[in-house]
Amino acid sequence: MLSATFGFSFIARSVQMLASSSGIIYGPTTQFRVLAAIPVLLAPLGLLLGWWTVVAWRRGYWEPVRRGVFTAVTVAAGLTLAFLIRWNYLPVRF
């Protein structure tokens, strides 16, 4: 949910900023600085999710189908982190 919130908020704020722009903007606005906190929260949560997936498989939690779904969610979280790193949202640089 945090990832979707970040994506949609970033797009909405960018469109709003472009529509109401009256000149050059120097540096990120306060709203973008607040949005930049979301990827910082996503990184440790993604790592924690990866650790918990390994624990779930080793200890045999749930049945295999549920562990598979949990693993798919973990892979999606890892791909989200890779996307954030690739597009320079992580680490945050201002």
Side-chain angles (χ1 to χ4, degrees):
M1 287 183 61
L2 280 175
S3 180
T5 301
F6 172 73
F8 288 123
S9 298
F10 187 84
I11 292 169
R13 183 64 190 137
S14 296
V15 168
Q16 182 184 26
M17 202 166 104
L18 288 172
S20 66
S21 68
S22 59
I24 298 174
I25 298 171
Y26 296 101
T29 62
T30 305
Q31 290 86 3
F32 280 117
R33 289 183 187 271
V34 171
L35 283 175
I38 294 175
V40 174
L41 293 173
L42 286 173
L45 290 175
L47 295 174
L48 183 65
L49 190 61
W51 173 78
W52 187 249
T53 301
V54 171
V55 170
W57 279 100
R58 283 190 180 168
R59 294 188 183 171
Y61 293 154
W62 316 305
E63 55 268 2
V65 172
R66 288 187 184 187
R67 281 185 297 209
V69 170
F70 194 71
T71 302
V73 170
T74 303
V75 168
L79 291 173
T80 300
L81 290 177
F83 173 84
L84 292 172
I85 291 168
R86 169 67 178 97
W87 289 98
N88 295 321
Y89 291 111
L90 282 175
V92 178
R93 297 178 194 114
F94 285 64

